[in-house]
């Protein structure tokens, strides 16, 4: 198991949030959207200029800027995690 | 029958509160598939079982801290106004995140009814929710509904009414926040219970949680109510906070959020949610996103969509605009026919009908544009545009949501700054919002286009397309750079986070689109009837009074006398007859050559033409002198003392002054000022030629004027809108002065630099 900042994750990579390293308003905005330790996320894609990033959380889609994604540590799931088509 | 019962609708942004509000009360409030549409609370009435219910729609929030305006509005209402029932709308397709707020409502011991909305969407996604089980676990009634179709709404209202009559059930079980925080909360609750001044304010546990979270507004309130106990509470909070920091390097705030989500997860695991597919399954919406926000295709499609919208509005509004124009021409014709010449007629025709008609003429265009944009908003596409362009806009101190305002203001040429400025409401940060709404009017709105087209046509006709494109790009560049400048100076501040929910694509309802379009169009029409009407009358007065002094008038009369002297009466009659009648006559008599006047021989015909030209020339010189003499004319001349810098003469100055009312006025006023006779649709064409031939007019002057018109003070309606949206007349004044100063400097630069080659 490896732990990296969410910013470094690639498209379609999945993982579980390990820590959110920010407080104050930004920290609260991140947490209230469900980005708390233990939540599973999948990187859905990035905007054309590589920022912001769109992630799949709890069945919905959230967007975050890279400098915000920097503050979120994710435990990466090993192996292929391409989302199932359906 | 008891007094009115107040029922508040609260929940996450985009959960469907306003849709439900409209379904209950029959109101037509703005619904959009974009989080954060409702920013102020709205009230409506409903009657059930003979009981009057007051329904209050609140702005959506994700939690009940008080960082942003909407949260303060929602929280203050719930806490201070104490509604008898709080209906918490939760999105069934997004249950986990939505219950985060529900937990906080439970903690506040609010009389809660949960409306499980969008069960249709959840069903499509293979998600089944056991409402009874959820209700049992949360300890509050849960009613499944589909707000869009009204399914379950009545059952919901009955449940709410029952809640209002019985009062809330027993206290909700407290959520555990871990050993450390729980024990801190216990001691805080005891402290609060001992202090009536605090116990009266809020439920003890909720208050304790807020103090632990460091909620500044609550802490201040507690301090004011009971200073001593307050300091003890803060003491407890600080101790546990230090403890958490050393042992687990976390904060109470983070810990509380983690536990809340933990609690929600544990509830959902107890048979509340069953999914047919696994969580990673791509829904239709995600598949659409794979194309529409693709890194390469996304931007191309975005440009295509914007151009498509532009094409759609301009193509389909052409005919209705002509009809509206024809209607006002007809109106003017009627007034012309039934009123005697004089100030009243001139006021009605030039001031009222042409002024207001010129603006109302754009109604079809505005309506179609709003319709198209409503479609983009309701479908969820606009949220994607914000997502894709956020990076570019952030570089200039703006936000992804600013894109919308720019596009509406004429970012692809031909928009209107008024809806653009109003669209900045989706921006949360005051500074980003101000920077956006102050720069949005730099875009080439539909009213500036005719002037730009006329000037470009006159001086750069070979490069027309390139110049149009250039002016669009220039507008964006200037708007972004000025925004950056503002953000580095008077609007300094950090950028706000872009933690945003991308709502799933939805198919807009036709009714929703129509409501959208109509509400916005109506407010536009109202403005034309008020502001524009006033300004047109004012402008007319300024260009008419004071009239020529008697001496000058007498001189022109004498000239006319001299012209007709010695000319046969039949020629005079033919030359002074109104042109319309002449045509009728020609038709009636049916000559082969319509150019030849029947009943007159060649020589007489020539004489008539000569006399008419002479008289026209005198008329034109008279109105020219009168204009020069009028208040507007004198003002224009006075302004020459500065306007010589970018090379503008008094006539241009008058036109630019007129443009303050509405940019459309510039062409018509220039036309009048250059005395091309009647101002009609053909005037811009011929004005273009006149200017091209006038030795005073050089390409560099035209370019300086183009630049000035693009960037100087926004029109009155926009300024009024800026004042309203910013909440202060100072920003309106600022935009007038700053933009004019800026445009003046830029135009001078262009003119003077151009003079060096
Ligand atoms: N399919 C479906 N769509 C719904 C339902 N209720 C609302 N919507 C859609 O959800 C979107 C958001 O609805 P709104 O009523 O504007 O949401 P809101 O909670 O008032 O949002 P804010 O004002 O931004 O807080 C709109 O596109 C609605 O058409 C529903 O029951 N089913
Ligand atoms: Mg709403």
């Amino acid at each position: 198991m490896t732990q990296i900042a969410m910013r470094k994750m690639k498209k379609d990579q999945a993982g579980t949030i390990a820590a959110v390293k920010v407080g104050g308003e930004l920290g609260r905005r991140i947490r209230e959207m469900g980005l708390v330790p233990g939540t599973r996320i999948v990187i859905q894609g990035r905007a054309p200029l590589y920022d912001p990033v769109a992630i799949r959380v709890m069945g919905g889609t959230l967007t975050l800027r890279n400098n915000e994604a920097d503050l979120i540590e994710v435990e990466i799931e090993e192996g292929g995690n391409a989302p199932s088509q359906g | 029958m008891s007094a009115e019962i107040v029922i508040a609708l609260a929940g996450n942004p985009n959960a469907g509160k306003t849709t439900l509000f409209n379904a209950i009360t029959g109101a037509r409030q703005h619904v959009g598939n974009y989080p954060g549409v409702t920013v102020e609370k709205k009230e409506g009435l409903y009657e059930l079982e003979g009981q009057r219910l007051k329904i209050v729609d609140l702005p959506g929030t994700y939690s009940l801290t008080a960082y942003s305006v909407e949260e303060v509005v929602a929280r203050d209402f719930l806490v201070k106004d104490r509604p008898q029932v709080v209906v918490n709308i939760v999105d069934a397709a997004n249950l986990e995140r939505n219950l985060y707020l529900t937990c906080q409502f439970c903690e506040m011991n609010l009389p809660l009814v949960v409306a499980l909305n969008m069960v249709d969407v959840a069903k499509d996604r293979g998600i089944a929710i056991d409402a009874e089980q959820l209700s049992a676990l949360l300890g509050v009634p849960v009613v499944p509904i589909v707000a869009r179709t009204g399914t379950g709404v009545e059952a919901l209202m009955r449940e709410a009414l029952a809640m209002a009559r019985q009062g809330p059930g027993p206290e909700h079980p407290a959520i555990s926040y871990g050993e450390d925080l729980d024990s801190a909360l216990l001691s805080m609750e005891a402290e609060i219970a001992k202090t009536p001044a605090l116990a009266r304010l809020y439920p003890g546990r909720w208050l304790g949680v807020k103090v632990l979270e460091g909620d500044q507004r609550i802490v201040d309130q507690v301090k004011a109510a009971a200073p001593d106990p307050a300091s003890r509470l803060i003491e407890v909070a600080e101790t546990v906070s230090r403890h958490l920091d050393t042992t687990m390097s976390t904060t109470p705030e983070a810990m509380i959020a983690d536990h809340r989500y933990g609690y929600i997860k544990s509830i959902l695991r107890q048979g509340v949610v069953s999914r047919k597919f696994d969580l990673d399954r791509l829904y239709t919406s995600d598949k659409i996103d794979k194309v529409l926000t693709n890194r390469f295709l996304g931007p191309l499609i975005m440009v295509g969509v914007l151009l498509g919208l532009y094409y759609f509005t301009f193509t389909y509004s052409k005919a209705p605009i002509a009809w509206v124009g024809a209607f006002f021409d007809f109106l003017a014709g009627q007034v012309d026919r039934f009123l005697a010449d004089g100030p009243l007629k001139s006021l009605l025709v030039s001031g009222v009908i042409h002024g207001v008609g010129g603006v109302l003429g754009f109604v079809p265009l505005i309506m179609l544009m709003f319709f198209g944009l409503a479609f983009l908003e309701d479908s969820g596409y606009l949220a994607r545009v914000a997502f894709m362009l956020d990076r570019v806009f952030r570089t200039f101190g703006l936000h992804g949501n600013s894109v919308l305002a720019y596009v509406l203001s004429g970012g692809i040429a031909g928009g209107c700054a008024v809806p653009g400025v109003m669209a900045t409401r989706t921006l949360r940060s005051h500074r980003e919002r101000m920077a956006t709404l102050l720069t949005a009017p730099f875009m080439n709105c539909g009213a500036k286009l005719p002037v730009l087209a006329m000037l470009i046509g006159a001086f750069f006709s070979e490069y027309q397309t390139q110049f149009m494109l250039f002016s669009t790009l220039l507008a964006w560049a200037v708007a972004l750079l000025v925004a950056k400048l503002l953000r580095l100076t008077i609007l300094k501040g950090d950028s706000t986070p872009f933690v945003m929910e991308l709502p799933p694509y939805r198919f807009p309802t036709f009714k929703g689109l129509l409501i959208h379009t109509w509400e916005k169009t109506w407010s536009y029409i109202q403005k034309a009837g008020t502001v524009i009407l006033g300004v047109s009358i004012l402008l007319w007065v300024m260009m008419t009074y004071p009239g020529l002094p008697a001496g000058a008038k007498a001189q022109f009369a004498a000239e006319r006398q001299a012209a007709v002297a010695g000319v046969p009466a039949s020629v005079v009659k033919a030359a002074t007859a109104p042109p319309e009648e002449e045509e009728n006559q020609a038709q009636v008599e049916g000559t082969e050559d319509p150019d030849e006047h029947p009943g007159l021989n060649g020589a007489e015909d020539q004489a008539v033409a000569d006399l008419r030209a002479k008289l026209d020339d005198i008329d034109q010189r008279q109105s020219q002198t009168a204009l020069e003499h009028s208040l507007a004319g004198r003002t224009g001349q006075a302004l020459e003392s500065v306007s010589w810098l970018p090379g503008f003469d008094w006539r241009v100055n008058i036109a630019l002054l007129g443009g303050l009312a509405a940019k459309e006025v510039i062409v018509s006023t220039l036309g009048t000022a250059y005395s091309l006779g009647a101002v009609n649709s053909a005037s811009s064409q011929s004005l273009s030629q006149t200017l091209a031939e006038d030795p005073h007019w050089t390409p560099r002057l035209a370019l300086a004027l183009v630049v000035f018109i693009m960037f100087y003070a926004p029109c009155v309606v926009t300024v009024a809108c800026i004042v309203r949206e910013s909440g202060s007349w100072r920003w309106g004044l600022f935009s007038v002065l700053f933009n004019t100063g800026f445009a003046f400097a830029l135009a001078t630069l262009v003119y003077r630099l151009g003079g060096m080659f």
Side-chain angles (χ1 to χ4, degrees):
Chain A
M1 284 285 212
T2 39
Q3 195 170 316
I4 57 171
M6 187 191 281
R7 180 193 200 133
K8 304 216 179 70
M9 290 174 74
K10 291 184 193 64
K11 190 165 183 295
D12 292 339
Q13 205 171 17
T16 306
I17 295 179
V20 178
K21 301 180 301 182
V22 62
E25 176 170 9
L26 178 56
R28 182 192 57 104
R29 285 214 181 276
I30 290 177
R31 287 191 188 90
E32 71 185 14
M33 298 300 257
L35 300 177
V36 294
T39 303
R40 187 167 176 280
I41 58 138
V42 183
I43 303 293
Q44 193 167 302
R46 285 190 156 83
L49 292 171
Y50 217 68
D51 186 15
V53 51
I55 57 174
R56 190 60 185 277
V57 196
M58 306 182 302
T61 306
L62 286 186
T63 64
L64 284 176
R65 286 178 181 160
N66 276 339
N67 56 358
E68 289 147 18
D70 258 342
L71 306 166
I72 302 174
E73 290 282 330
V74 182
E75 195 90 52
I76 298 300
E77 281 172 23
E78 307 294 339
N81 279 299
S84 55
Q85 303 282 329
Chain B
M1 187 181 124
S2 53
E4 208 171 60
I5 289 177
V6 180
I7 298 181
L9 305 183
N12 279 14
N14 219 40
K17 296 175 296 302
T18 307
T19 310
L20 176 62
F21 177 80
N22 289 350
I24 299 172
T25 63
R28 287 180 296 172
Q29 291 299 329
H30 188 148
V31 166
N33 194 15
Y34 199 105
V37 172
T38 308
V39 289
E40 317 163 299
K41 62 171 203 273
K42 293 272 157 49
E43 296 177 357
L45 288 174
Y46 180 68
E47 216 178 277
L48 186 68
E49 297 170 13
Q51 172 66 55
R52 262 160 68 90
L53 306 174
K54 186 164 96 178
I55 317 287
V56 183
D57 183 23
L58 295 173
T61 64
Y62 291 106
S63 66
L64 284 178
T65 33
Y67 279 103
S68 64
V69 191
E70 311 96 82
E71 281 174 358
V72 175
V73 172
R75 186 168 94 181
D76 280 357
F77 185 80
L78 295 176
V79 173
K80 296 199 180 124
D81 293 41
R82 296 227 154 236
Q84 278 94 328
V85 183
V86 177
V87 172
N88 175 203
I89 290 91
V90 301
D91 173 357
N94 237 321
L95 194 57
E96 203 167 334
R97 181 176 320 119
N98 278 251
L99 287 181
Y100 188 73
L101 183 67
T102 311
C103 283
Q104 300 175 57
F105 288 149
C106 287
E107 209 155 47
M108 286 171 84
N109 267 330
L110 294 173
L112 204 63
V113 175
V114 169
L116 190 63
N117 191 24
M118 307 216 198
V119 284
D120 57 330
V121 182
K123 201 170 154 221
D124 284 349
R125 295 185 162 197
I127 305 169
I129 293 164
D130 186 341
E132 273 169 37
Q133 175 73 352
L134 181 61
S135 166
L137 291 169
L138 284 175
V140 299
V142 176
V143 185
I145 63 164
V146 179
R148 232 192 207 193
T149 57
T151 314
V153 170
E154 180 150 350
L156 174 71
M157 293 321 287
R158 285 191 195 286
E159 197 67 61
L161 186 59
M163 170 74 72
R165 287 182 172 155
Q166 292 153 17
E171 285 204 5
H172 309 284
I175 301 171
S176 161
Y177 294 117
E179 234 173 274
D180 296 322
L181 290 183
D182 279 350
S183 66
L185 277 171
L186 273 183
S187 68
M188 289 168 101
E189 275 180 84
E191 182 71 49
I192 294 162
K194 275 193 307 201
T195 320
L198 293 181
R200 250 201 329 264
L201 277 177
Y202 303 105
R205 192 173 172 87
W206 188 76
L207 194 54
V209 170
K210 286 290 126 185
V211 174
L212 282 176
E213 282 180 337
D215 188 309
Q216 202 52 50
R217 279 172 74 102
I218 297 288
V219 169
D220 289 346
Q221 210 181 344
V222 168
K223 273 188 193 155
D228 279 346
S231 61
R232 281 195 289 277
L233 291 181
I234 293 165
E235 173 66 36
V236 174
E238 278 171 358
T239 313
V240 69
S241 172
R242 270 195 303 273
H243 177 71
L244 287 182
D245 191 35
T246 48
T247 56
M248 286 182 273
S249 65
T250 182
T251 59
E253 203 187 351
M255 195 97 176
I256 290 170
D258 295 356
H259 277 85
R260 273 192 196 131
Y261 269 108
Y263 171 75
I264 294 165
K265 283 185 178 117
S266 77
I267 285 187
L268 295 186
R269 242 180 269 126
Q270 297 175 53
V272 172
V273 183
S274 50
R275 291 173 188 275
K276 251 196 252 166
F277 313 105
D278 80 303
L279 254 177
D280 284 350
R281 182 187 132 99
L282 290 179
Y283 304 124
T284 318
S285 183
D286 303 309
K287 289 185 203 151
I288 298 174
D289 262 342
K290 275 200 177 274
V291 180
L292 292 192
T293 63
N294 177 284
R295 292 191 56 199
F296 305 102
L297 281 179
L300 288 178
I301 294 174
M302 183 164 66
V303 171
V305 165
L306 296 182
L307 286 177
L309 170 73
Y310 182 51
Y311 179 81
F312 161 76
T313 49
F314 276 81
T315 312
Y316 290 100
S317 65
K318 227 177 235 157
I321 283 184
W323 299 334
V324 178
F327 170 74
F328 280 102
D329 284 347
F330 168 78
L331 214 62
Q334 291 303 307
V335 172
D336 191 40
R337 183 158 309 165
F338 293 111
L339 278 182
D341 280 349
L344 179 64
K345 176 164 149 182
S346 164
L347 170 67
L348 281 180
V349 174
S350 320
V352 177
I353 297 177
H354 280 156
V356 174
V359 177
L360 285 185
F362 280 92
V363 163
L365 181 94
I366 297 268
M367 236 162 112
L368 279 180
M369 202 166 65
F370 281 140
F371 187 83
L373 285 160
F375 187 90
L376 291 186
E377 185 186 334
D378 286 0
S379 64
Y381 186 67
L382 268 185
R384 271 74 187 178
V385 174
F387 168 66
M388 286 190 277
L389 286 181
D390 176 66
R391 186 70 197 86
V392 180
F393 273 60
R394 181 156 43 108
T395 311
F396 294 96
L398 300 176
H399 193 272
N401 285 345
S402 310
V403 174
L404 172 61
Y406 275 16
V407 168
L408 286 175
S409 299
I412 21 173
C416 178
V418 172
V421 166
M422 291 200 285
T424 60
R425 284 188 193 175
T426 49
L427 291 162
R428 302 274 166 119
S429 141
H430 176 72
R431 295 197 173 93
E432 285 172 352
R433 183 169 173 213
M434 284 300 124
T436 308
L437 73 78
L438 290 173
T439 51
F442 287 144
M443 296 294 149
N444 290 329
C445 70
K448 287 180 199 169
L449 283 184
V451 202
L452 301 188
M454 187 274 288
L455 288 171
I456 290 171
F459 297 96
F460 314 100
S461 50
E462 309 99 285
Y463 305 106
Q464 215 152 359
T465 323
Q466 288 92 325
F467 256 93
M468 249 359 259
L469 182 67
F470 168 74
S471 78
T472 303
L473 294 180
L474 182 69
W476 279 78
V478 165
L480 287 175
L481 288 172
V482 170
K484 182 75 184 168
L485 180 77
L486 292 174
R487 292 283 279 133
L488 287 175
T489 53
I490 52 173
L491 291 170
K492 216 186 285 188
D494 290 338
S495 65
T496 43
F498 194 69
V499 187
M500 193 174 97
E501 207 177 342
L502 280 190
Y505 290 103
R506 295 189 214 282
F507 208 82
T509 61
F510 194 62
K511 187 178 152 216
L513 292 180
L514 288 187
I515 290 175
H516 239 108
T517 309
W518 176 244
E519 301 280 302
K520 286 186 178 164
T521 308
W522 178 233
S523 74
Y524 179 86
I525 293 175
Q526 281 172 319
K527 261 170 233 138
T530 51
V531 181
I532 293 277
L533 178 63
V535 173
S536 307
I537 292 176
L538 183 74
L539 224 90
W540 174 84
V541 170
M542 284 182 66
M543 288 177 76
T544 310
Y545 295 102
L548 278 180
K553 260 191 203 153
Q555 199 183 323
F556 282 112
E559 273 188 51
R560 252 182 229 114
Q561 280 294 317
V564 292
V567 179
S570 64
V571 173
V572 174
K573 189 161 175 276
T576 50
E580 274 170 86
E581 284 176 28
E582 219 174 281
E583 271 165 36
N584 292 343
Q585 212 178 332
Q587 270 161 13
V588 169
E589 300 191 6
T591 43
E592 303 92 275
D593 185 356
D595 282 339
E596 208 166 304
H597 296 288
L600 293 171
N601 60 38
E604 254 188 9
D605 209 18
Q606 185 57 41
V608 169
D610 279 353
L611 179 60
R612 187 175 287 149
K614 240 186 227 166
L615 290 177
D616 278 354
D617 179 55
I618 298 171
D619 282 350
Q620 280 186 12
R621 275 189 292 118
Q622 177 166 6
S623 53
Q624 179 77 21
T625 320
L627 183 63
E628 243 171 280
H629 190 76
S630 74
L631 199 58
R634 292 184 206 182
T635 314
Q637 283 158 16
L639 283 175
E640 275 186 352
S641 62
V642 284
S643 73
W644 63 273
L645 270 168
F648 303 161
D649 72 358
W650 67 273
R651 282 175 280 226
V652 172
N653 292 343
I654 298 180
L656 292 175
L657 273 184
L660 291 178
K663 307 285 177 202
E664 297 95 329
V665 176
I666 298 176
V667 174
S668 58
T669 315
L670 256 188
T672 317
Y674 273 87
S675 68
L676 285 163
V679 183
N680 53 35
S681 51
S683 67
S684 80
Q685 180 50 38
S686 38
L687 176 62
S688 182
Q689 282 162 2
T690 319
L691 296 187
E693 284 156 19
D694 191 319
H696 172 72
W697 281 82
T698 52
R700 69 180 170 124
L701 171 60
L703 203 59
L705 187 58
V706 164
V707 168
F708 189 82
I709 291 172
M710 277 174 69
F711 301 124
Y712 86 118
C715 66
V716 181
V717 192
T718 306
V719 174
C721 196
I722 290 177
V723 170
R724 203 187 49 218
E725 294 298 310
S726 66
S728 157
W729 57 270
R730 286 193 191 88
W731 285 117
L733 188 68
F734 174 85
S735 77
V736 170
L737 297 181
F738 175 82
N739 292 15
T740 307
F742 175 77
F744 187 80
L746 213 60
T748 306
L749 196 73
V750 167
Y751 188 70
R752 295 294 152 189
L753 275 184
M756 289 156 91
F757 298 108

